[in-house]
Amino acid sequence: MKRKIGLGILFSRSGTYSLLGEASRAGALKGIAQVNGDPTLDVAFDPIERDPGGNVDAYAPLCEEILRDEDVRHVVGCTTSWSRKEVIPALERMDGALWYPTPYEGFEASDRIVYTHGCPNQHLLPLMEYTFSQYGMRGYLTGSNYIWGWEMNRLAREIVLRGGGSVLGERYLPLGSTEVGRIVEEIADLKPDFVLNQLIGPSQYAFLAAMAELRHRDPFFGAANCPVLSCNLTECELPAIGAPAEGLISAGPWFRGLPQPMPGNFGRDDFISSLEAAAHASVMMLAHLLSGNPGGEKLPLSLLLSRPEAAQMGLSARTHHSRLPVAIAQVRQGAFHLLRSAPPRDGDPYLTRDIAVPAPLRVVK
């Protein structure tokens, strides 16, 4: 007989980044259905769901409500780094744990969080290496005005300058702002080799639309020059963006159609995006850690992740990060097409291994 365990689900289904939240939620619910129908697992999850509605101030109270009122210890949720950091005090007060299935900027290893998507050594660094070799080292940086944009661009700036390149400009927009005109005008004047885009939601959609217009009117920005790069854009947003997404290059652990699933998916690959896959993997890995382990849901993460099964699934007991493959892909005719891949690598949130700067060689085509 299965042991029933409550599992918190905390994703925004409305607001600035609702498409990302919906994708992650779909993956978590798919994982719950799979666990509950698997006769080899002696646990079943009862989803306890709350919707912050894109309001960052709602995450911590709702997370605490789940943990306090529903006798839940594990929550799968949050989309932005802002919301993730907001819930940490609630996790600490209520002795809870968060499984965070979204790419983030690194420099964090909370004993209350399992990070199941990529950090910079798994997305930004390989993306920069590819871009330097193919396009050049003169970059323009833009992003949403919060920790994701700040930290990702700080790292990118360090990588570019250490390699002998240059950062021609750097600008930020408030979350949800679509006032992209000044940024695109500056890019048109500066003509960088690449644009690193850390915008999210409608800001990113408006920016890509404006960049598409720029490509039509200025031959310098044709298909072979000045790509827009991303470390967080996935298939779940392509329908909202449409044709302006063409040519964008993104990095992540998985794109639809790749044969190698993410660790924790146990061979399943019927996902729309890596956000869905990572949320599914979060639920599946938790289930495998709790199955045959009565009372395991009450254990501290440090003990739970010390079980042999955790290492077998690519979870680090030391950093709480996941071992993930690397894929770099470009949008062509509305879908991502693989440009380069690399074997799974451990998450290194503090970049303890020195940042490798690729030689600034450009492939002549």
Side-chain angles (χ1 to χ4, degrees):
M1 184 174 178
K2 283 182 174 277
R3 180 164 49 95
K4 197 170 186 179
I5 299 172
L7 179 61
I9 306 293
L10 188 65
F11 293 111
S12 289
R13 305 188 66 188
S14 59
T16 301
Y17 44 86
S18 59
L19 293 177
L20 285 70
E22 287 280 17
S24 297
R25 175 180 179 269
L29 295 179
K30 186 176 288 187
I32 291 171
Q34 185 172 343
V35 168
N36 292 355
D38 188 342
T40 68
L41 298 172
D42 67 5
V43 296
F45 288 133
D46 178 22
I48 310 297
E49 189 169 7
R50 298 291 184 273
D51 178 2
N55 177 6
V56 70
D57 294 327
Y59 279 88
L62 290 177
C63 183
E64 184 159 342
E65 179 183 306
I66 292 172
L67 297 170
R68 182 189 63 238
D69 298 345
E70 303 292 345
D71 193 29
V72 168
R73 287 293 172 269
H74 291 266
V75 176
V76 181
C78 297
T79 297
T80 66
S81 291
W82 194 354
S83 61
R84 184 190 70 252
K85 289 182 178 294
E86 284 290 312
V87 305
I88 291 176
L91 298 170
E92 292 172 342
R93 282 194 301 272
M94 305 306 299
D95 195 24
L98 175 71
W99 293 71
Y100 182 69
T102 310
Y104 91 112
E105 67 285 341
F107 294 90
E108 181 179 296
S110 170
D111 60 2
R112 296 287 176 180
I113 301 176
V114 183
Y115 306 81
T116 60
H117 209 292
C119 63
N121 77 299
Q122 296 165 317
H123 49 60
L124 179 64
L125 270 62
L127 180 61
M128 290 290 92
E129 180 180 359
Y130 175 82
T131 302
F132 293 167
S133 68
Q134 299 293 316
Y135 295 99
M137 300 186 70
R138 298 165 59 256
Y140 187 98
L141 313 179
T142 187
S144 292
N145 194 25
Y146 79 111
I147 189 169
W148 162 261
W150 305 332
E151 281 297 299
M152 290 290 284
N153 284 339
R154 179 187 66 80
L155 281 173
R157 190 184 323 115
E158 179 182 345
I159 295 166
V160 170
L161 296 180
R162 188 182 293 194
S166 56
V167 174
L168 305 184
E170 183 173 350
R171 291 199 180 275
Y172 297 87
L173 288 177
L175 278 171
S177 172
T178 57
E179 299 296 321
V180 300
R182 183 179 179 187
I183 293 175
V184 175
E185 287 175 9
E186 198 165 69
I187 291 170
D189 290 340
L190 294 171
K191 292 182 167 49
D193 295 327
F194 65 88
V195 176
L196 182 60
N197 151 47
Q198 308 294 358
L199 296 163
I200 68 168
S203 302
Q204 179 165 224
Y205 310 159
F207 174 70
L208 292 175
M211 285 297 296
E213 293 178 4
L214 176 61
R215 293 189 192 285
H216 282 303
R217 70 174 186 264
D218 188 334
F220 175 85
F221 294 93
N225 289 329
C226 192
V228 176
L229 313 176
S230 174
C231 291
N232 67 348
L233 191 117
T234 71
E235 293 90 340
C236 72
E237 295 182 280
L238 291 184
I241 300 169
E246 287 295 305
L248 179 138
I249 298 174
S250 188
W254 183 84
F255 291 95
R256 193 173 187 184
L258 291 187
Q260 184 177 5
M262 293 174 62
N265 294 131
F266 295 92
R268 188 168 180 172
D269 62 2
D270 58 333
F271 309 109
I272 299 299
S273 70
S274 65
L275 298 182
E276 184 180 344
H280 171 269
S282 299
V283 174
M284 295 300 297
M285 290 190 288
L286 176 59
H288 280 264
L289 291 173
L290 298 182
S291 183
N293 183 18
E297 65 273 18
K298 305 291 186 182
L299 291 175
L301 275 178
S302 57
L303 292 180
L304 197 60
L305 296 182
S306 295
R307 292 175 62 86
E309 298 94 326
Q312 293 166 8
M313 295 184 292
L315 292 175
S316 168
R318 183 175 65 87
T319 68
H320 294 197
H321 284 65
S322 300
R323 182 173 175 81
L324 297 171
V326 173
I328 298 170
Q330 186 173 38
V331 179
R332 297 175 184 168
Q333 297 183 328
F336 279 106
H337 291 257
L338 185 67
L339 299 174
R340 179 179 292 182
S341 62
R345 61 182 64 177
D346 293 331
D348 183 17
Y350 289 96
L351 298 176
T352 56
R353 295 177 286 278
D354 192 34
I355 298 174
V357 179
L361 301 176
R362 182 169 180 178
V363 175
V364 178
K365 299 179 180 178

